[in-house]
Amino acid sequence: MNKQPLVVAILDGFGISNYENGNAPLGAKMENIKTIHQNYPWTLLEASGEAAGFVQNTYATCENSHLILGSGRIVSSYSKTINDAINNNSFFENKELLRAIEEAKARNKTHIHIIGLISKSPIIGFKDDVFALCKLAREHNLTPIVHAITDGKDVRKKSAIAYLTDLDNALKVYDGKLADISGRYYALDTTNHYSRTIKVWNMMTHHDSDSFSDFLSYVDQQYNNSSTDEFFTPEYNSKYDDTKISDDDVILLATYRDSIQLVDLMLNIHEDDKDHYSHLNNLFITALTPENKIKNIAFEIPVQQNTLIDVLANNNLKVLRVSDDLRINEITYQFDGLKTPDFTNVHEIKVDIDSIKNVTYDLTPQLVATEITNKVVESLDNYNVIFANYSNPDILGHTGNIEATIKGLKVIDLCIGTLYDEVVNKAHGCLMILSDHGNCEQMLDENDNALTFHSMNKVPFILCERKISLRNDKVGIADVAPTILNYLNLPIPSEMTGTSLIKQPSGWTKFTNLFKKKDIALELKVINQEDLDKILTTISLNNEVSSTKYVDENDFSTLEP
């Protein structure tokens, strides 16, 4: 194996942009990362669109990017999977969605409730999914009642009017009703502030809130109160009195994530403040995508086998994962190919560091980056491979506060400097620096309006090993897992369709292809194990194939940062 420990630092939401305007990494200077970049091989990875499992010209999500990083293959996101189903009409034949329709009819309901994000965000929910559910309901003679959640975080901060207008037009076509509106800060809170989500649930069930009669006036009033779309206060539509969610109702949940607290209230399983929110009985809930505690799921991404972590475990390497609680799911469950890791295994440990709880994270831009770094450093002697996720670039990029993001990135740069000194200089190990998608490098548009969502820029990959050269052809985040295995001299599973970023000597591709296909060849009895071993050995000797022997660094064509 090559140098150990190997530390893989994932700078979540850190892309590369040539534009100075709104470029927080440029403003932070980041001298440590700059020095590392100047002295070690690096390349830029595609991290959006098809390379990230989405439709072309769409930015990526943390979840799907980590799924691809860890599995070494392009996996279609929920956004793309559902979009494809709508386009080929299989969406309207989905058995779980039809089951929900039939359940509503069996309960003598003339309507069905739809809760969804009205946005074009591929991260938490797409407005077209809600419109498709409205169409489905109307095709089966049910009235779609929509409980709209506004975004302002993964899209422009003030874009709600356009999206709600699209919804209004769809409801006119499908004879539906807009029941209420709330910002995702309240409806999709992920920080255990149930008091926010309770306001939304009580509004949906008992109209216990302020009201509006026209969504355009509602939005104007919110903006007059200095709110952006994310922070719209929950209000119901006074035009309708029959849009409350009640006992025995059927609900279609059209979000991809972040609905856990809302689901807890739906299922009456939240214990805190139980006297302050409405308890309903016998709800039937179907979710578009897997949601905690909901059994009826319309679309599921297959579990990925033979992931990076699987190979490391099969080779008895001791692995540590370190992250704050904002990204622990991404660096474990998603990274493991949608499998729940077994952290009771002696070879696998995780460290979940509590994030700093604030209304907005720009109040504490350092987050817990130093704590993550300290945990990595103190663990270097005990693990072969350590993965550390730093959420600052993404979390702060979402706030739209450039100054706070610059402060947070300066902390990240100090942490990377510490890692380099401790891992490379002192422990004589290897440090890899990479990202899952862009965000903090593009925080303003051409008119200086804040951009609070992910970018479609490429992301860096740096390998602190001078004897290695990296490819700069068509490379993407699916190539990271094969690169790590290649560096560690471990076999790359045939399921990994990504290719190592490390430039290989002559004959390596032929050797790798045979290696990947050996199981198929054996199974079809095209060749036996003994003969295959001879062939592989011959190729290796004739071409001096070794993942520690590389072409000269001068062959690497440097990219402009």
Side-chain angles (χ1 to χ4, degrees):
M1 292 188 184
N2 265 312
K3 289 182 181 179
Q4 292 184 48
L6 169 61
V7 174
V8 180
I10 302 173
L11 309 186
D12 206 300
F14 189 99
I16 300 297
S17 172
N18 290 324
Y19 295 100
E20 295 184 12
N21 197 36
N23 192 328
L26 193 64
K29 300 189 187 302
M30 308 191 80
E31 295 297 337
N32 288 316
I33 291 180
K34 187 184 298 182
T35 299
I36 293 171
H37 157 257
Q38 290 172 344
N39 287 280
Y40 289 99
W42 66 282
T43 189
L44 292 178
L45 308 178
E46 292 286 354
S48 66
E50 295 174 351
F54 291 86
V55 297
Q56 195 172 7
N57 297 321
T58 302
Y59 59 79
T61 65
C62 296
E63 291 83 2
N64 219 66
S65 291
H66 278 80
L67 175 58
I68 292 173
L69 284 172
S71 62
R73 71 211 72 167
I74 296 174
V75 184
S76 287
S77 63
Y78 283 115
S79 176
K80 186 176 189 302
T81 299
I82 295 172
N83 180 76
D84 289 346
I86 293 172
N87 289 337
N88 63 30
N89 286 318
S90 62
F91 182 94
F92 305 98
E93 300 171 358
N94 183 279
K95 64 179 182 179
E96 289 298 335
L97 295 180
L98 293 178
R99 182 183 172 199
I101 294 290
E102 293 306 313
E103 189 67 30
K105 292 180 177 180
R107 296 179 179 212
N108 295 316
K109 301 291 184 179
T110 60
H111 61 268
I112 195 164
H113 292 274
I114 301 169
I115 302 175
L117 193 72
I118 309 303
S119 169
K120 64 175 183 179
S121 162
I123 297 179
I124 293 187
F126 205 77
K127 59 187 176 67
D128 290 2
D129 302 348
V130 175
F131 304 163
L133 290 173
C134 290
K135 178 182 178 181
L136 176 69
R138 179 45 55 198
E139 286 180 348
H140 293 271
N141 298 314
L142 293 175
T143 298
I145 297 176
V146 175
H147 305 265
I149 303 171
T150 50
D151 192 347
K153 183 177 180 181
D154 295 320
V155 293
R156 293 180 184 272
K157 285 191 170 187
K158 292 186 176 183
S159 54
I161 287 180
Y163 299 136
L164 290 173
T165 299
D166 289 344
L167 173 62
D168 185 59
N169 291 333
L171 292 176
K172 289 175 182 176
V173 172
Y174 303 120
D175 196 22
K177 297 178 180 180
L178 172 61
D180 46 63
I181 302 173
S182 55
R184 61 183 282 178
Y185 173 79
Y186 295 94
L188 301 175
D189 176 74
T190 59
T191 58
N192 293 320
H193 285 92
Y194 274 86
S195 59
R196 301 173 189 167
T197 317
I198 286 171
K199 291 180 180 179
V200 177
W201 183 239
N202 287 346
M203 172 198 66
M204 290 178 174
T205 56
H206 284 74
H207 285 176
D208 183 11
S209 70
D210 291 335
S211 65
F212 64 90
S213 59
D214 174 75
F215 75 87
L216 293 173
S217 299
Y218 165 82
V219 173
D220 285 341
Q221 184 61 46
Q222 294 291 321
Y223 289 161
N224 289 336
N225 292 337
S226 300
S227 287
T228 55
D229 302 355
E230 180 182 359
F231 302 99
F232 281 2
T233 55
E235 293 190 22
Y236 70 92
N237 190 346
S238 60
K239 286 173 57 178
Y240 307 112
D241 191 48
D242 59 349
T243 57
K244 302 175 196 172
I245 300 175
S246 305
D247 291 341
D248 302 317
D249 265 334
V250 177
I251 300 173
L252 299 176
L253 184 60
T255 58
Y256 305 151
R257 72 171 206 209
D258 291 359
S259 302
I260 292 176
Q261 292 174 196
L262 194 56
V263 170
D264 284 351
L265 301 183
M266 292 179 188
L267 300 178
N268 302 331
I269 58 177
H270 174 58
E271 292 300 323
D272 297 337
D273 300 318
K274 61 183 178 181
D275 296 329
H276 298 104
Y277 67 90
S278 305
H279 289 253
L280 296 184
N281 299 310
N282 198 33
L283 295 177
F284 186 92
I285 309 169
T286 296
L288 281 184
T289 64
E291 188 62 72
N292 192 36
K293 305 180 184 75
I294 293 181
K295 297 179 180 179
N296 309 313
I297 306 299
F299 296 92
E300 294 192 74
I301 294 175
V303 172
Q304 306 299 306
Q305 304 298 336
N306 280 332
T307 65
L308 172 60
I309 293 297
D310 290 335
V311 178
L312 298 180
N314 292 338
N315 285 273
N316 295 316
L317 269 69
K318 295 185 68 176
V319 177
L320 174 69
R321 255 95 62 88
V322 188
S323 172
D324 58 27
D325 55 10
L326 299 170
R327 290 292 179 267
I328 197 66
N329 183 65
E330 281 77 2
I331 204 174
T332 55
Y333 175 74
Q334 301 288 342
F335 200 74
D336 287 15
L338 307 179
K339 299 191 293 291
T340 301
D342 179 12
F343 291 108
T344 61
N345 191 311
V346 68
H347 299 294
E348 177 76 47
I349 301 290
K350 75 166 181 177
V351 177
D352 180 355
I353 298 174
D354 289 340
S355 60
I356 298 173
K357 307 301 182 188
N358 273 315
V359 175
T360 57
Y361 292 105
D362 52 347
L363 299 176
T364 53
Q366 74 278 7
L367 300 183
V368 289
T370 300
E371 289 84 344
I372 291 171
T373 304
N374 291 342
K375 178 55 66 174
V376 172
V377 171
E378 69 184 45
S379 305
L380 290 175
D381 292 337
N382 300 317
Y383 295 92
N384 303 108
V385 182
I386 299 175
F387 297 94
N389 183 293
Y390 292 91
S391 65
N392 304 56
D394 192 43
I395 295 298
L396 294 169
H398 282 304
T399 69
N401 187 329
I402 296 179
E403 292 305 316
T405 306
I406 289 173
K407 290 179 182 178
L409 292 179
K410 287 182 177 180
V411 175
I412 291 294
D413 190 58
L414 291 174
C415 290
I416 293 298
T418 298
L419 285 183
Y420 178 82
D421 188 48
E422 296 290 338
V423 175
V424 179
N425 291 338
K426 295 181 181 178
H428 304 295
C430 180
L431 175 64
M432 289 185 185
I433 304 168
L434 58 106
S435 178
D436 56 343
H437 58 74
N439 187 343
C440 67
E441 81 290 350
Q442 188 174 339
M443 296 182 64
L444 292 174
D445 66 11
E446 62 278 3
N447 298 315
D448 289 338
N449 296 311
L451 300 177
T452 58
F453 43 92
H454 296 172
S455 75
M456 291 187 285
N457 294 317
K458 294 182 179 181
V459 299
F461 179 91
I462 307 174
L463 177 53
C464 296
E465 183 70 77
R466 288 191 175 91
K467 295 181 180 179
I468 287 176
S469 292
L470 298 178
R471 295 165 43 222
N472 65 349
D473 53 333
K474 190 176 181 181
V475 292
I477 54 176
D479 299 323
V480 170
T483 303
I484 293 173
L485 293 177
N486 184 187
Y487 178 80
L488 293 172
N489 285 334
L490 294 175
I492 299 173
S494 58
E495 290 87 349
M496 290 190 180
T497 56
T499 306
S500 175
L501 297 166
I502 298 172
K503 281 189 175 181
Q504 310 296 348
S506 172
W508 175 262
T509 301
K510 186 176 181 181
F511 174 79
T512 303
N513 288 340
L514 273 172
F515 185 79
K516 281 189 173 184
K517 295 176 182 177
K518 71 173 185 177
D519 291 335
I520 298 174
L522 291 171
E523 185 175 340
L524 296 177
K525 302 187 185 306
V526 175
I527 193 169
N528 60 45
Q529 182 69 59
E530 183 178 356
D531 289 343
L532 179 63
D533 290 340
K534 289 179 182 178
I535 292 172
L536 295 177
T537 301
T538 302
I539 293 175
S540 178
L541 290 173
N542 288 347
N543 295 283
E544 298 182 304
V545 175
S546 167
S547 56
T548 56
K549 181 178 176 63
Y550 307 103
V551 295
D552 189 82
E553 277 185 315
N554 293 329
D555 290 343
F556 180 71
S557 301
T558 57
L559 296 164
E560 290 297 325

